[in-house]
């Protein structure tokens, strides 16, 4: 069983930056992946970014490309999401997620394929 603990949410003005962190307890195979998802009030959960454990390849939703960067520090076993140029529409609860196994790239940002979820951290961007 893997537990995921997020941190780093908060409130910021439009154009600002925040960095989210996620520290997993337990082992995730190199074929698995970790990612960030978000859910705004009244909306479905959507994938934001993902990275395979054993690779540096990253995948992003079109809405965040060029503004968000996902990275993983293997030494610290921690996943990050650097969010720059934040917009009010980025306001949501952000969740760290993981799967202990391979999934094809086209499904990385689909929440149905994630096995483990963090408790979520709130990000609020004001205009």
């Amino acid at each position: 069983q893997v537990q995921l603990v997020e941190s780093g949410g908060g409130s910021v003005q439009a154009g600002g930056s925040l960095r989210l962190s996620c520290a997993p307890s337990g082992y995730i195979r190199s074929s698995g992946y970790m990612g960030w998802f978000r859910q705004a009030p009244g909306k479905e959960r959507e994938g934001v970014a993902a990275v395979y454990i054993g690779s540096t390849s990253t995948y992003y939703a079109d809405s965040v490309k060029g503004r968000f960067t996902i990275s993983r520090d293997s030494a610290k076993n921690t996943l990050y999401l650097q969010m720059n140029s934040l917009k009010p529409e980025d306001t949501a609860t952000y969740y760290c997620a993981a799967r202990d196994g391979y999934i094809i790239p086209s499904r990385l940002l689909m929440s149905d394929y994630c096995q483990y979820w963090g408790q979520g951290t709130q990000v609020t961007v004001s205009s």
Side-chain angles (χ1 to χ4, degrees):
Q1 190 75 10
V2 175
Q3 293 186 333
L4 305 172
V5 180
E6 304 109 331
S7 61
S11 297
V12 65
Q13 289 191 326
S17 298
L18 284 173
R19 189 176 80 159
L20 306 182
S21 301
C22 174
S25 65
Y27 178 72
I28 301 173
R29 287 174 286 184
S30 61
S31 59
Y33 69 92
M34 295 184 70
W36 292 96
F37 291 73
R38 67 185 181 186
Q39 187 167 21
K43 294 187 176 182
E44 292 189 354
R45 190 170 297 188
E46 63 172 346
V48 175
V51 60
Y52 287 109
I53 298 299
S55 171
T56 56
S57 297
T58 53
Y59 302 83
Y60 297 94
D62 288 343
S63 58
V64 305
K65 280 181 182 176
R67 301 188 298 121
F68 290 12
T69 302
I70 188 171
S71 62
R72 184 175 168 272
D73 186 330
S74 57
K76 296 182 178 180
N77 196 28
T78 300
L79 182 74
Y80 301 100
L81 184 68
Q82 178 66 43
M83 305 184 293
N84 298 329
S85 303
L86 282 161
K87 304 175 181 180
E89 51 263 44
D90 294 318
T91 296
T93 301
Y94 283 70
Y95 298 89
C96 177
R99 180 182 176 91
D100 184 26
Y102 182 75
I103 200 82
I104 59 176
S106 61
R107 295 179 177 176
L108 284 173
L109 299 183
M110 296 181 181
S111 58
D112 288 349
Y113 296 96
C114 296
Q115 289 178 297
Y116 307 107
W117 293 90
Q119 79 285 358
T121 185
Q122 179 66 35
V123 171
T124 302
V125 184
S126 58
S127 56

